[in-house]
Amino acid sequence: MSEIALAQNPVSPLVPVVCKITKIVTETPDVKTFHVSTLDGKKPFTPMPGQLGMVSILNAGEGMFSITTQGENHLEFSIKRCGVLTDALHEAEVGQNITVRGPYGNGFPLDFCKGKDILFIGGGIGLAPVRSLITYSIAHRQDFGKLQVIYGSRSPADLVFKEDLFENWTKVPDLELNLTVDRGDESWKGNVGFVPAFIEQLAPSPKGDKVCVLCGPPIMIKFCLQSLAKLGFKNENIITTLEMRMKCGVGKCGRCNIGSCFVCLDGPVFTLAQLQNLPPEY
Amino acid sequence: MKAIAKAKLNTLLDAIAKESNLLVPVSGDGTSKFAPYTQGAQLSFDGRTLLPPKDVFFPQTEKMYKFKTNGMNASVETALEAPRLQVLFGIRPCDAKSIHCLDHVFLTKGYVDEFYKAKKDATLIVSIGCNGPAQPTCFCKSMGVNPQEAEGVDVHLYDLGTDYGVVAKTEKGEKLFLDKYASFFTETTAQVPALADFPLEVNVDGITEKLEKMFDHPLWEEVAKKCLGCGACTYLCPTCHCFDISARVAGDQGFRFRCWDSCMFSEYTRMSAGNPRPSKKERVRNRMLHKLQYFKERYGDLLCTGCGRCLSKCPVNMDITKIIKQVREADLA
Amino acid sequence: MSINTEALPKQPEVTAPAATAIPDVTPKEWIPRIVGFACNWCTYAGADLAGLSRLHYPPTVRLIRVPCSGRTNPQFIIRAFQRGADGVLVAGCHPGDCHYSTGNYFTRRRFLLMQRLLEYMGMDPRRFQARWISGSEGPKFQQVVTQMSEDIKALGPNRKMRDAE
Amino acid sequence: MITEQMRAIAKDLLEKGEVGTVIGWEKGTFWYNSTPLFISKPEQVDKLVFDEFCANNLAKYLLDFKLAETKTAVFVKGCDARAVNRLLQDNQVSRDKVYLIGIPCPGMKEAPKTAQPQDIAGLPLLTKCKMCATPNPVLFDVMVGDPVPDKKVADRFAAVEALEGKSADEKYAYWGKMFEKCIRCYACRNVCPACNCRECCFDANGLNWLGKQNNLPETQMFSMTRAMHVAGRCIECGECERVCPMGLPIMEINRKVIKDLNELFGPYDAGMNLDDRPPLGTYKLDDPEKFM
């Protein structure tokens, strides 16, 4: 943590810095990606893949979001519309001032993943946190083995990051991309079906200590874990990121605890092996 | 040991109040709490206050920053103020222990909470020992607190009957209290009297280890039944420190503040995706485990100081000592 | 709101009642702020008629249109006082004329009680009023707002139950 | 005595399987604590007690059992029975799912300040019991013990009237001092049998009915809203005032509302009779017309 510059007011980790939205990408009817820079055009901070940022529209509210990726001078947050704050964000325009503080959380275990094959599984907006590691591993392609992405959404229209899915990632060597949707439409030529079944159909091999990075709605995670167990993935190699109600982000406010762990500080990334040692209260 | 007669305490307090913010236990209107010293206020030195001293460092509502919006533009201005030196006079050893617990939370594990630290650093803490239970519900002795001597304070006063024996525990206490007000103190050879018995006792040996195996135990269902789900226990608890961050918005300006929150409220963990603690069983369990297991695992201390406030004011007499006993007796089948 | 602002009378000079005692908070030109909850079917139309008929009344009232005076929650009243109202008016159809048959009978009971509770809490009951104003009673709307404005002007700004910021 | 009868009835009910749970009281931490008890097995009945400290109103717990498949038995004092009536009126529980065991109540006692046993007879009555006009349950399936004589109640509106007589500023100062003490623990709401909404408007924080700051405007908002919400439903059990850790005179607000309701719309005592409509849930064409 120490080498990372924190985007916080020098006064307190709870006081944010004012940033602005520099670009908005409409991913699906209810998901937008926001590019965020500081007022002088810099990146608010340099997060590790999987870390979180606390985003606020000052008069609407404050919420913790995963940082889906970063650019030279900006952070990207992909946000689904589902409440007061996210409504306000979706109505915001380029140039809107928001505040950001962070980065929070542990991020994905990069050292652990290095040199290994990685299987990425995402469902719906759950691809957002996973994407931070996908883009990182593409940028540091030589550090990782084979990459495979399995991604599913409700419908073709609900697939997020279409530019990555259909353009950027298809050009990456040794990256296998498998898409599925719950319900297809006339134009959809790919697989139709739920993600867990699709995993079993594709039957990725756990050989070579393959790591699986998983995120999606709870019900999908539950069944994916069963599928992965069938395929022989080790609990230590299954990595997921959790959601809890977070307020402070620095392990003080107490509400995101799972047992004696705080999701904001010790998480949000946990291996399945770690989760099995925690109370099932998430 | 230096000493001051209890009868002369007011003259000392007058002197302190002239130079610093002085907070003393004040009673009245059916409650007692730490409040600024005023002459003629009803001082309450016969035991712990009803409201814990945690709000001195961690107020129930605390403004963090102000903001203004103007169209798309926004600005933020921190509301952290440099507090002036204050003296917190008359906390009990149980409360001193609670401040030690709060220090763990707000000052360690990578992040320092400046709002807490600023107030803590500017405060000189003077504690008073108890020679026995101030209330029937006191059980601090069982929780590893020495009722007669507080830890982690700047100055400690032993209760010697008609006098208080004064001992500095830190350099700050030596300089800013003992030396500064030396003229008020005399020398005494009196001994601290024997400690009276506590009617309420509980054995907490091995409780954390036992609880690690009891997350799914039916006991929680049982003990949670009578809980009403109010926040009296958490708000009166000297160690409960969970907070919420919320904002007050008025048109194009407002401020964001933090305020005490209670894990007993249904809204506490509610997310758009659901609530991981949907019923009072999970909430009561979380509170008990936080106090007796999670906090110990994370910081090495139990999060209960045995002050008995929750016990005395719980509308349904939820008794943490009884729950500890039930946990110890529980079968791990 | 369909009040023609150009047609409004010039605000008469108000001599503040306790101006000498609290000069900084009771400026000479102080105008009361009244929040009015107006039923969509009667009072709102009544206010409209007052405007269309170019009836003059002081620009003190901010109308909030509610489907029925019975929609007005007691919390609305408290919140209005908290956020700066000097007076609150709830107005709806005459008893018997409710668009929803009986809504305003409940309003009547609720706010009779509420007014007494406010008084018990130390508020001046004149700051909270309920009135029956039908769609054809533009003049009554004018008269109610004028009367209430004068009453509240005499009382001065409300400082009770105010949220500090 | 009453305790023995309670145990016998509870045992009988549980053995025959007529009820799944019996809600009563047991002894708590000290001799002056009696606390709610939930039993589901006949061998647990020996924990049941009835003494001068069973102040808790058990009716509210019926809400936790409203989805239970079996019947729930609950011991009801005078005030508890009125509370059950209120829950029935609000359709929160159904009458055929509850079994009411009435206990005439001699009045509950204040807890003393010391753990040493004392003469119970010398302890003062709880404030809430001094004002009680219905010591005998108004609704029950079976009664334990003999009805106690109806008490002559000290004028329950005396405190309200005294306050009404003060000036507006005095009243405001009085309540300001009270509400400033409120710590927003919501014990009053959670113990109250009239507060039986599935979700309280104050918990729905996204709607912002109430800010989370603990300051005078917010606590005023809370207290006044609660007074209006329980208007016509408050059964005067006084539990809110008893459980308030800060000792706020909450019943002085509730009784004011009751007094006004009586004056404005005719005498009404909530929870006395299942068929009466609560005053704010009904109307008369000739209600007082003050608004014009």
Side-chain angles (χ1 to χ4, degrees):
Chain A
M1 289 293 296
S2 53
E3 75 276 13
I4 301 168
L6 295 175
Q8 66 186 38
N9 202 296
V11 174
S12 162
L14 298 175
V15 181
V17 286
V18 178
C19 296
K20 67 169 183 284
I21 298 175
T22 54
K23 188 181 169 190
I24 299 174
V25 182
T26 304
E27 305 281 356
T28 76
D30 60 357
V31 176
K32 283 183 180 177
T33 298
F34 300 90
H35 294 227
V36 177
S37 304
T38 57
L39 293 182
D40 50 4
K42 299 221 173 67
K43 180 150 63 174
F45 48 81
T46 306
M48 305 302 282
Q51 283 193 308
L52 308 167
M54 188 67 103
V55 176
S56 159
I57 284 207
L58 282 165
N59 43 20
E62 195 176 46
M64 192 71 100
F65 297 96
S66 67
I67 300 159
T68 181
T69 189
Q70 50 188 316
E72 190 72 3
N73 289 315
H74 72 273
L75 299 174
E76 288 181 28
F77 296 91
S78 290
I79 293 169
K80 182 168 173 163
R81 189 173 191 146
C82 61
V84 178
L85 170 64
T86 51
D87 276 353
L89 280 164
H90 272 248
E91 270 149 37
E93 290 172 21
V94 170
Q96 169 76 44
N97 282 189
I98 63 173
T99 66
V100 175
R101 55 190 174 95
Y104 298 129
N106 55 358
F108 289 108
L110 295 177
D111 290 339
F112 176 77
C113 296
K114 268 202 184 128
K116 294 185 179 132
D117 293 349
I118 308 180
L119 168 65
F120 299 99
I121 301 174
I125 187 67
L127 190 61
V130 177
R131 183 181 178 224
S132 62
L133 186 56
I134 301 178
T135 39
Y136 181 88
S137 53
I138 291 172
H140 302 76
R141 193 66 199 83
Q142 69 287 358
D143 290 348
F144 299 90
K146 283 186 182 160
L147 306 177
Q148 182 179 5
V149 178
I150 300 176
Y151 175 55
S153 70
R154 279 175 303 178
S155 72
D158 286 310
L159 291 166
V160 294
F161 312 128
K162 292 197 181 66
E163 197 186 330
D164 281 346
L165 294 177
F166 298 112
E167 290 282 328
N168 303 343
W169 294 350
T170 56
K171 296 176 193 147
V172 178
D174 259 350
L175 188 149
E176 186 186 339
L177 192 60
N178 307 99
L179 302 180
T180 182
V181 294
D182 297 352
R183 285 181 312 278
D185 57 22
E186 311 82 57
S187 61
W188 181 250
K189 304 278 189 303
N191 186 71
V192 176
F194 292 124
V195 174
F198 194 44
I199 296 173
E200 290 189 34
Q201 189 187 321
L202 293 167
S205 155
K207 270 193 205 123
D209 222 14
K210 189 185 272 183
V211 177
C212 173
V213 179
L214 173 70
C215 188
I219 188 75
M220 184 202 99
I221 291 190
K222 190 181 155 197
F223 287 106
C224 283
L225 289 177
Q226 292 174 5
S227 305
L228 291 168
K230 264 191 227 164
L231 294 171
F233 279 87
K234 284 192 292 185
N235 290 349
E236 293 75 22
N237 284 2
I238 299 176
I239 298 170
T240 187
T241 106
L242 293 185
E243 186 192 12
M244 263 297 225
R245 186 156 181 201
M246 296 181 231
K247 285 289 184 178
C248 71
V250 292
K252 314 285 184 213
C253 81
R255 66 181 63 219
C256 68
N257 79 301
I258 299 175
S260 54
C261 279
F262 285 119
V263 174
C264 68
L265 213 56
D266 309 311
V269 177
F270 293 95
T271 66
L272 185 55
Q274 286 170 327
L275 285 181
Q276 280 170 340
N277 285 325
L278 292 175
E281 208 171 51
Y282 44 85
Chain B
M1 184 161 48
K2 296 269 189 255
I4 180 167
K6 285 183 179 177
K8 283 193 173 166
L9 197 59
N10 275 5
T11 57
L12 173 63
L13 295 178
D14 284 338
I16 300 172
K18 273 201 192 102
E19 308 201 351
S20 334
N21 252 346
L22 173 62
L23 297 164
V24 288
V26 176
S27 66
D29 278 333
T31 146
S32 53
K33 62 177 181 185
F34 285 87
Y37 174 80
T38 48
Q39 272 178 334
Q42 177 99 39
L43 302 186
S44 146
F45 284 120
D46 52 352
R48 57 146 181 88
T49 49
L50 175 58
L51 287 164
K54 68 177 172 184
D55 72 328
V56 173
F57 309 116
F58 173 47
Q60 181 154 7
T61 306
E62 181 167 34
K63 231 184 250 187
M64 297 196 303
Y65 54 93
K66 290 183 254 186
F67 57 78
K68 278 193 180 130
T69 56
N70 176 11
M72 287 211 213
N73 300 322
S75 63
V76 163
E77 185 196 342
T78 174
L80 180 66
E81 286 157 19
R84 63 184 276 233
L85 179 71
Q86 59 181 0
V87 178
L88 175 59
F89 189 95
I91 66 166
R92 298 286 157 169
C94 52
D95 294 335
K97 172 79 185 293
S98 77
I99 293 169
H100 180 66
C101 292
L102 295 180
D103 282 354
H104 281 318
V105 175
F106 288 110
L107 303 178
T108 70
K109 300 279 177 192
Y111 292 92
V112 172
D113 188 294
E114 296 294 341
F115 292 95
Y116 178 88
K117 187 168 185 288
K119 293 186 202 59
K120 180 80 200 295
D121 287 349
T123 306
L124 183 86
I125 304 176
V126 182
S127 58
I128 301 178
C130 302
N131 290 332
Q135 309 267 344
T137 49
C138 288
F139 60 101
C140 57
K141 208 176 106 186
S142 305
M143 301 309 291
V145 173
N146 178 355
Q148 293 179 304
E149 186 174 345
E151 299 295 331
V153 295
D154 296 302
V155 178
H156 181 72
L157 308 185
Y158 293 97
D159 189 342
L160 305 176
T162 53
D163 290 351
Y164 285 121
V166 188
V167 174
K169 294 272 198 172
T170 62
E171 213 175 300
K172 193 168 143 193
E174 186 82 49
K175 252 180 29 205
L176 295 178
F177 196 81
L178 252 74
D179 293 354
K180 196 166 174 184
Y181 303 106
S183 61
F184 289 90
F185 306 125
T186 53
E187 204 60 46
T188 184
T189 52
Q191 294 294 306
V192 183
L195 186 63
D197 282 339
F198 281 62
L200 197 59
E201 287 194 343
V202 63
N203 183 355
V204 291
D205 293 343
I207 188 82
T208 302
E209 292 72 20
K210 178 87 184 263
L211 282 168
E212 280 167 11
K213 302 179 200 109
M214 285 186 62
F215 188 82
D216 292 315
H217 199 278
L219 176 70
W220 302 119
E221 180 87 53
E222 222 31 59
V223 296
K225 268 184 187 156
K226 70 176 173 184
C227 176
L228 293 170
C230 75
C233 49
T234 48
Y235 286 174
L236 295 180
C237 178
T239 64
C240 272
H241 55 265
C242 293
F243 60 85
D244 191 8
I245 294 177
S246 187
R248 166 80 171 83
V249 184
D252 57 0
Q253 56 183 328
F255 57 88
R256 191 147 285 154
F257 60 89
R258 68 170 170 196
C259 56
W260 296 358
D261 205 352
S262 170
C263 56
M264 306 312 291
F265 295 157
S266 59
E267 178 266 340
Y268 182 72
T269 45
R270 190 165 58 202
M271 296 179 284
S272 59
N275 192 344
R277 292 186 208 123
S279 74
K280 58 187 181 185
K281 173 190 133 191
E282 289 87 14
R283 301 197 273 269
V284 168
R285 175 174 64 192
N286 185 67
R287 180 172 139 77
M288 286 302 153
L289 292 184
H290 189 203
K291 297 236 162 284
L292 302 170
Q293 181 197 338
Y294 302 156
F295 198 80
K296 176 102 181 237
E297 288 172 352
R298 198 170 176 85
Y299 300 105
D301 277 312
L302 291 173
L303 194 61
C304 173
T305 68
C307 71
R309 287 180 175 100
C310 57
L311 183 46
S312 69
K313 284 295 176 186
C314 176
V316 295
N317 189 233
M318 281 277 269
D319 179 348
I320 186 169
T321 66
K322 191 174 162 195
I323 294 172
I324 293 172
K325 283 168 199 157
Q326 284 173 300
V327 165
R328 291 178 63 86
E329 287 161 11
D331 283 331
L332 290 178
Chain C
M1 233 175 27
S2 53
I3 300 169
N4 185 340
T5 43
E6 281 166 23
L8 285 174
K10 217 173 148 234
Q11 194 59 34
E13 283 265 314
V14 183
T15 336
T20 43
I22 27 173
D24 51 334
V25 280
T26 314
K28 266 191 168 178
E29 289 285 353
W30 175 73
I31 300 169
R33 271 188 288 193
I34 299 171
V35 174
F37 292 95
C39 140
N40 175 49
W41 304 98
C42 289
T43 309
Y44 204 78
D48 209 10
L49 181 64
L52 287 172
S53 322
R54 305 287 167 113
L55 298 175
H56 292 185
Y57 61 89
T60 50
V61 68
R62 273 79 162 164
L63 283 189
I64 295 172
R65 182 159 61 158
V66 286
C68 172
S69 56
R71 166 70 182 91
T72 318
N73 190 317
Q75 279 164 296
F76 295 175
I77 318 290
I78 308 172
R79 180 56 62 88
F81 281 126
Q82 280 186 338
R83 300 284 156 94
D86 300 303
V88 179
L89 172 70
V90 175
C93 311
H94 285 262
D97 292 347
C98 179
H99 184 78
Y100 308 99
S101 307
T102 59
N104 53 5
Y105 286 115
F106 293 98
T107 313
R108 182 163 67 182
R109 283 203 163 194
R110 186 184 310 149
F111 290 116
L112 276 170
L113 189 67
M114 178 87 186
Q115 196 183 38
R116 285 170 167 232
L117 183 64
L118 282 166
E119 187 177 0
Y120 189 62
M121 291 288 157
M123 294 290 287
D124 194 298
R126 281 169 291 181
R127 292 191 188 275
F128 172 69
Q129 293 295 335
R131 286 288 181 275
W132 312 130
I133 302 169
S134 81
S136 60
E137 291 178 324
K140 183 170 179 191
F141 182 82
Q142 174 202 33
Q143 176 236 320
V144 164
V145 173
T146 311
Q147 182 63 47
M148 199 167 166
S149 303
E150 272 165 23
D151 286 353
I152 292 173
K153 255 177 211 162
L155 290 169
N158 175 44
R159 283 185 213 90
K160 286 172 181 168
M161 304 216 303
R162 285 290 299 276
D163 201 344
E165 216 159 324
Chain D
M1 260 251 317
I2 285 185
T3 298
E4 264 90 77
Q5 284 173 282
M6 283 171 79
R7 291 175 184 174
I9 291 176
K11 194 166 181 193
D12 189 50
L13 286 170
L14 287 167
E15 272 173 353
K16 286 186 182 150
E18 281 181 34
V19 302
T21 307
V22 176
I23 310 177
W25 301 272
E26 68 177 327
K27 283 320 287 176
T29 312
F30 297 111
W31 61 276
Y32 54 78
N33 294 124
S34 296
T35 160
L37 170 72
F38 304 79
I39 53 175
S40 51
K41 296 192 192 84
E43 57 269 28
Q44 295 168 316
V45 298
D46 288 344
K47 286 184 182 172
L48 279 170
V49 293
F50 185 76
D51 60 11
E52 286 79 357
F53 305 104
C54 296
N56 283 90
N57 187 330
L58 302 178
K60 180 97 190 222
Y61 291 113
L62 287 175
L63 294 175
D64 294 341
F65 291 89
K66 66 178 168 185
L67 297 177
E69 284 173 10
T70 50
K71 262 191 172 188
T72 305
V74 59
F75 289 96
V76 287
K77 310 184 294 288
C79 51
D80 305 6
R82 289 177 68 179
V84 174
N85 253 340
R86 278 297 317 138
L87 297 180
L88 294 172
Q89 270 183 327
D90 288 346
N91 288 321
Q92 289 288 350
V93 290
S94 78
R95 183 67 183 89
D96 53 11
K97 291 290 278 294
V98 295
Y99 187 88
L100 302 175
I101 310 160
I103 302 183
C105 172
M108 296 294 148
K109 298 288 176 80
E110 293 262 9
K113 295 266 181 289
T114 136
Q116 260 68 49
Q118 294 180 11
D119 180 20
I120 292 177
L123 294 170
L125 273 183
L126 280 178
T127 316
K128 72 171 206 161
C129 296
K130 282 182 203 152
M131 301 282 188
C132 171
T134 46
N136 294 304
V138 290
L139 182 74
F140 55 86
D141 293 302
V142 60
M143 183 86 107
V144 181
D146 302 317
V148 294
D150 276 338
K151 291 182 300 182
K152 226 181 146 274
V153 185
D155 182 9
R156 60 185 174 138
F157 296 129
V160 175
E161 277 158 6
L163 197 55
E164 279 173 342
K166 295 194 171 161
S167 76
D169 288 343
E170 280 172 329
K171 284 187 272 198
Y172 190 75
Y174 175 80
W175 289 114
K177 214 171 132 195
M178 292 301 158
F179 294 146
E180 219 139 54
K181 290 198 294 183
C182 174
I183 55 172
R184 299 268 296 271
C185 70
Y186 299 150
C188 49
R189 176 195 70 182
N190 288 19
V191 81
C192 176
C195 274
N196 54 37
C197 293
R198 194 167 55 187
E199 184 176 31
C200 178
C201 62
F202 297 127
D203 283 341
N205 78 333
L207 302 176
N208 266 327
W209 278 115
L210 191 64
K212 287 197 92 164
Q213 290 183 83
N214 192 56
N215 58 15
L216 189 55
E218 303 287 13
T219 50
Q220 267 170 337
M221 176 86 161
F222 171 72
S223 302
M224 291 183 65
T225 306
R226 215 182 82 79
M228 287 301 289
H229 282 192
V230 301
R233 319 158 101 235
C234 171
I235 52 146
E236 292 181 77
C237 67
E239 280 285 270
C240 48
E241 197 170 286
R242 178 183 71 86
V243 303
C244 179
M246 296 293 112
L248 302 185
I250 303 171
M251 284 309 289
E252 279 179 31
I253 310 176
N254 292 342
R255 286 219 169 81
K256 162 70 179 169
V257 171
I258 291 166
K259 177 170 173 279
D260 284 348
L261 285 172
N262 289 350
E263 285 172 10
L264 289 165
F265 315 120
Y268 177 79
D269 287 312
M272 291 301 280
N273 187 337
L274 207 50
D275 302 322
D276 292 345
R277 298 286 301 275
L280 289 190
T282 181
Y283 64 92
K284 283 196 204 117
L285 296 180
D286 60 346
D287 277 336
E289 181 54 272
K290 191 185 160 221
F291 293 140
M292 290 309 292

